[in-house]
Amino acid sequence: MATERGDMERYRQLTRRTLILGGLQAGMISLLVGRMYYLQVVESGRYKMLADDNRISMRLIAPSRGLIVDRAGIVVANNDQNFRALIVSEQTPDIDRTLGVLAGIIQLSPSEIERIRHDMARRRRFIPVTIRENLTWEQVSMIEVNAPDLPGVIIDVGEVRSYPLSDQASHLVGYVGAVSESELDDDNPVLSLPGFKIGKSGVEKTRDEDLRGTAGTSEMEVNAYGRTIRELSREPGERGKRVTLTIDSELQLAAHKRLLQERSAATVIMDAQTGAIYALASAPGYDPNVFSKGIPGDLWKALLDDETMPLINKAIGGAYPPGSTFKLAVTLAGLESGAIGLDHTVTCNGTFQLGDHTFYCDAYKNGGHGTLNLTEGIAQSCDVYFYDVGNRTGIDHIARVADLLGLGRRTGIDIPGEHGGTVPSTDWKKKHTGEPWYAGETISCAIGQGQVAATPLQIATMVARLCSGGHAVVPHVTKDISGEDMPRQDWPKIDFKPEHIEAVLAGMRAATSPGYRHTGVSVQIQEPGMQMAGKTGTAQVHAYTTAEHDKNRIGHVEGDLPWKLKNHAWFVGYAPVDNPRYVCAALVEHAGQFGAQAAGPVVHDLLLLTQQRDPARINVSADLAPKPT
């Protein structure tokens, strides 16, 4: 009996334990099932996304850069196919042998082979390394023919920027280059893409944001090691915007060709009414195609060492003494300040005396120009006349009017590299030297020497503002969004008296008209209805002594000087005379001649061609415009 009760008690204890264990097991199973349900059903989307993140790699695709076209739609910056050879380490059993065979096909230099080895050592074995870009079709064919002997070598196709006008518009259009460390932007990962390039100069730089476009995306399936298995989808990017220039390509080519007849020169052709630049050339130039593909070190050094400075855009970035072209601003300043009247006359005997210092005129040896009125003073470019006008006017009045004419500061043209030039004043000298202004300095500045410096663009802008009737025309090389040039009436009016502007223009007209010692008559355009008005300028680089003046500085002395010490030659003109529309300024560096001899023929040729082409009537045509690709 006692035994039975003991058995029953043990049975009950065992049952309770079984129930407890069963309950615990049921609870654990319920928790496990619930967790599995939560993970596989409730959280399935989240974990699928995480799994896809490990399996799928999203990659950016560099967009195609936008085209740059001239005012007629002719392409001046394009994209060409870029064939490049790549090598994948894990697919190359014998790298030394493969590179050796390849070197015999596309002639790899030891430095290139060393660079390839360096890149392969720094990257994972399945990531391609660039062997060489910009392969010719012949080189691509040779590599493909020898493919069995080149395991791991593949041909890839990309884009490279090309410039059809080459060095003839290099300073204007600019070039693209690799993104530097300082130009990287964490908020713009496109800049970090291999081979991605941005604008470095010219329009390529100022309109870089528009030209870049929007990146595309590629969805790639990868394994656990990051190796690409296949492409799942692709969303192409949006090509960069097309930028239209005000430039006339034909006129640009002609301007550059004409400048090449000189050793170093620059010119600007602009519309006096709209500010549109039709040609902006600086010679010698450089080939931007070399820069976009990677310039060799020896060529870069040669460009830097060249004393003609081909890398500098002299039309906007070279500041020179403007010589007698500055007399136009001095004349207007004298009239506007009331220092002289429209009937002001000066008698020139070849010298001007200020205190104990003698200032000379170009007519010194011939006894001077005699008595001149304002028109003849400009036409004969008499230094003595302008010594007198400058002395009466004062440097501060000259500086104020020069500033309104666009001198002594950047014009605001829409390409980089512009030099602001210099027009001094009493405050300017006090700020820069701490010394007072002296009257003798005004005498030098009055003929465009001393501290005065200007660019060819500024001189062209000055005349454009005069020709437009005193409107503050601003030069530009790209059109607005509508593709139209800005009309003259939209530019602010400068508060100059019309009769004062007319007096200056009359002097320019006289300078190219037949007359005694009229400086620009030899370069007058003879075609009816296309005659021009102009102003010469000869800017000294070397300071002449009295003895050198007696020897005739332009003749004998200039021939004895090194090229870098010879005078600069200037000429600025507008046409047609009766209805001013086109302005051309030209500078010939160290010409060693008067402006009418060296720079005048340049302006003659270009203003004649400009009127014959009449670029103001040329606008983008749907037939000429490049079709989207």
Side-chain angles (χ1 to χ4, degrees):
M1 193 68 181
T3 301
E4 290 180 359
R5 283 197 298 270
D7 290 340
M8 289 296 293
E9 183 64 28
R10 284 193 298 271
Y11 175 76
R12 284 194 292 269
Q13 289 178 354
L14 181 61
T15 301
R16 284 195 298 270
R17 290 172 182 173
T18 301
L19 290 173
I20 292 171
L21 288 173
L24 289 173
Q25 289 176 341
M28 293 294 291
I29 292 172
S30 298
L31 286 174
L32 182 60
V33 171
R35 181 60 177 172
M36 291 176 65
Y37 177 82
Y38 177 78
L39 294 176
Q40 294 186 19
V41 179
V42 178
E43 289 288 286
S44 62
R46 174 171 174 264
Y47 285 102
K48 182 179 184 299
M49 181 180 66
L50 291 175
D52 286 343
D53 285 344
N54 289 330
R55 183 179 65 89
I56 299 173
S57 174
M58 297 296 294
R59 300 179 183 179
L60 291 174
I61 302 173
S64 183
R65 195 166 178 84
L67 303 180
I68 301 177
V69 301
D70 81 341
R71 66 186 301 106
I74 298 172
V75 177
V76 297
N78 204 350
N79 302 309
D80 289 342
Q81 280 188 322
N82 172 25
F83 292 99
R84 55 184 179 179
L86 309 176
I87 185 169
V88 183
S89 297
E90 70 172 5
Q91 299 175 8
T92 311
D94 190 339
I95 294 175
D96 291 336
R97 181 182 179 281
T98 299
L99 291 178
V101 173
L102 196 58
I105 297 174
I106 59 175
Q107 299 180 347
L108 294 175
S109 66
S111 60
E112 285 183 293
I113 293 176
E114 182 62 29
R115 190 266 307 164
I116 295 168
R117 291 184 180 280
H118 177 73
D119 290 347
M120 295 175 75
R122 293 174 58 240
R123 298 183 185 180
R124 295 184 180 183
R125 288 177 54 79
F126 58 83
I127 296 179
V129 169
T130 301
I131 297 172
R132 182 184 288 174
E133 293 191 273
N134 306 304
L135 296 173
T136 65
W137 182 247
E138 182 181 359
Q139 290 173 321
V140 171
S141 300
M142 290 295 293
I143 291 174
E144 294 289 6
V145 167
N146 290 275
D149 296 324
L150 299 170
V153 175
I154 56 177
I155 297 296
D156 183 51
V157 182
E159 287 186 346
V160 64
R161 199 66 159 168
S162 67
Y163 303 97
L165 300 186
S166 187
D167 62 333
Q168 298 166 105
S170 52
H171 299 99
L172 171 66
V173 178
Y175 64 90
V176 295
V179 182
S180 66
E181 289 292 333
S182 61
E183 292 168 327
L184 289 174
D185 184 357
D186 292 338
D187 296 329
N188 190 356
V190 177
L191 298 179
S192 302
L193 291 176
F196 188 79
K197 295 181 179 180
I198 61 174
K200 295 290 186 176
S201 69
V203 175
E204 289 278 28
K205 182 173 183 178
T206 54
R207 298 297 293 272
D208 185 61
E209 293 287 343
D210 293 328
L211 291 165
R212 285 183 193 175
T214 305
T217 56
S218 175
E219 200 174 62
M220 308 295 293
E221 184 177 7
V222 297
N223 61 17
Y225 297 99
R227 185 180 293 113
T228 299
I229 298 175
R230 61 187 172 121
E231 184 178 62
L232 300 176
S233 65
R234 174 180 287 258
E235 184 70 30
E238 182 179 344
R239 184 175 193 162
K241 297 177 182 177
R242 189 178 75 172
V243 172
T244 302
L245 305 182
T246 62
I247 298 298
D248 176 2
S249 291
E250 292 298 323
L251 202 55
Q252 177 72 24
L253 294 176
H256 187 267
K257 183 179 180 180
R258 181 60 182 82
L259 292 185
L260 288 178
Q261 297 179 29
E262 314 298 334
R263 183 172 181 182
S264 180
T267 190
V268 177
I269 303 172
M270 68 181 289
D271 193 315
Q273 296 184 13
T274 68
I277 299 291
Y278 297 126
L280 190 148
S282 178
Y286 61 87
D287 185 359
N289 293 294
V290 176
F291 282 78
S292 65
K293 296 176 182 178
I295 184 169
D298 56 345
L299 177 56
W300 174 249
K301 186 178 186 303
L303 290 172
L304 290 177
D305 294 341
D306 192 331
E307 66 177 350
T308 63
M309 297 182 291
L311 294 174
I312 300 297
N313 185 352
K314 302 179 187 73
I316 69 169
Y320 309 87
S324 294
T325 61
F326 190 65
K327 292 173 181 176
L328 302 176
V330 173
T331 301
L332 189 58
L335 293 169
E336 287 290 310
S337 67
I340 64 170
L342 293 171
D343 57 352
H344 184 69
T345 60
V346 174
T347 300
C348 169
N349 61 8
T351 63
F352 181 86
Q353 199 70 29
L354 183 68
D356 59 356
H357 191 84
T358 301
F359 295 87
Y360 292 88
C361 183
D362 284 333
Y364 167 66
K365 284 195 68 177
N366 298 321
H369 289 96
T371 300
L372 303 172
N373 60 22
L374 191 150
T375 300
E376 285 294 308
I378 296 174
Q380 298 191 33
S381 199
C382 174
D383 286 345
V384 168
Y385 189 94
F386 288 96
Y387 292 149
D388 178 79
V389 174
N391 189 46
R392 291 171 182 269
T393 305
I395 193 62
D396 288 336
H397 285 301
I398 293 173
R400 184 187 71 83
V401 170
D403 177 75
L404 293 173
L405 290 173
L407 303 174
R409 58 186 172 88
R410 294 183 178 90
T411 64
I413 190 171
D414 46 349
I415 49 175
E418 184 179 13
H419 194 295
T422 304
V423 176
S425 64
T426 53
D427 289 341
W428 177 89
K429 187 180 180 186
K430 191 72 175 177
K431 177 181 178 181
H432 286 81
T433 69
E435 298 180 0
W437 185 266
Y438 299 105
E441 295 176 289
T442 304
I443 303 302
S444 294
C445 291
I447 61 168
Q449 296 287 161
Q451 299 98 322
V452 182
T455 66
L457 177 66
Q458 290 173 326
I459 297 300
T461 301
M462 171 183 69
V463 174
R465 292 186 176 189
L466 292 170
C467 289
S468 67
H471 287 85
V473 179
V474 176
H476 54 279
V477 299
T478 57
K479 293 195 173 190
D480 63 16
I481 296 174
S482 68
E484 299 297 326
D485 291 322
M486 184 175 287
R488 176 173 60 183
Q489 59 267 25
D490 288 350
W491 298 113
K493 188 75 165 60
I494 307 172
D495 190 23
F496 292 144
K497 291 184 178 180
E499 60 268 27
H500 293 166
I501 293 177
E502 172 55 29
V504 176
L505 296 178
M508 294 182 69
R509 292 195 295 269
T512 54
S513 300
Y516 177 65
R517 289 179 179 169
H518 287 193
T519 54
V521 66
S522 63
V523 294
Q524 177 60 276
I525 297 172
Q526 300 303 318
E527 280 72 2
M530 295 187 180
Q531 284 80 14
M532 70 173 180
K535 182 71 193 78
T536 61
T538 306
Q540 289 181 216
V541 177
H542 170 67
Y544 297 100
T545 64
T546 302
E548 288 173 334
H549 276 284
D550 290 336
K551 290 171 63 178
N552 185 343
R553 66 185 185 187
I554 298 300
H556 301 91
V557 178
E558 284 291 303
D560 299 335
L561 291 173
W563 179 75
K564 292 287 285 186
L565 294 181
K566 292 183 179 182
N567 293 339
H568 301 309
W570 284 93
F571 197 96
V572 59
Y574 69 84
V577 168
D578 296 333
N579 184 26
R581 183 65 190 255
Y582 300 114
V583 174
C584 180
L587 164 81
V588 179
E589 268 196 319
H590 307 294
Q593 296 177 309
F594 285 117
Q597 294 173 303
V602 176
V603 174
H604 167 278
D605 295 348
L606 295 181
L607 271 182
L608 174 58
L609 178 61
T610 300
Q611 292 179 90
Q612 291 170 339
R613 285 191 58 78
D614 201 6
R617 297 178 181 271
I618 300 174
N619 285 299
V620 174
S621 165
D623 295 332
L624 293 175
K627 302 300 184 289
T629 58

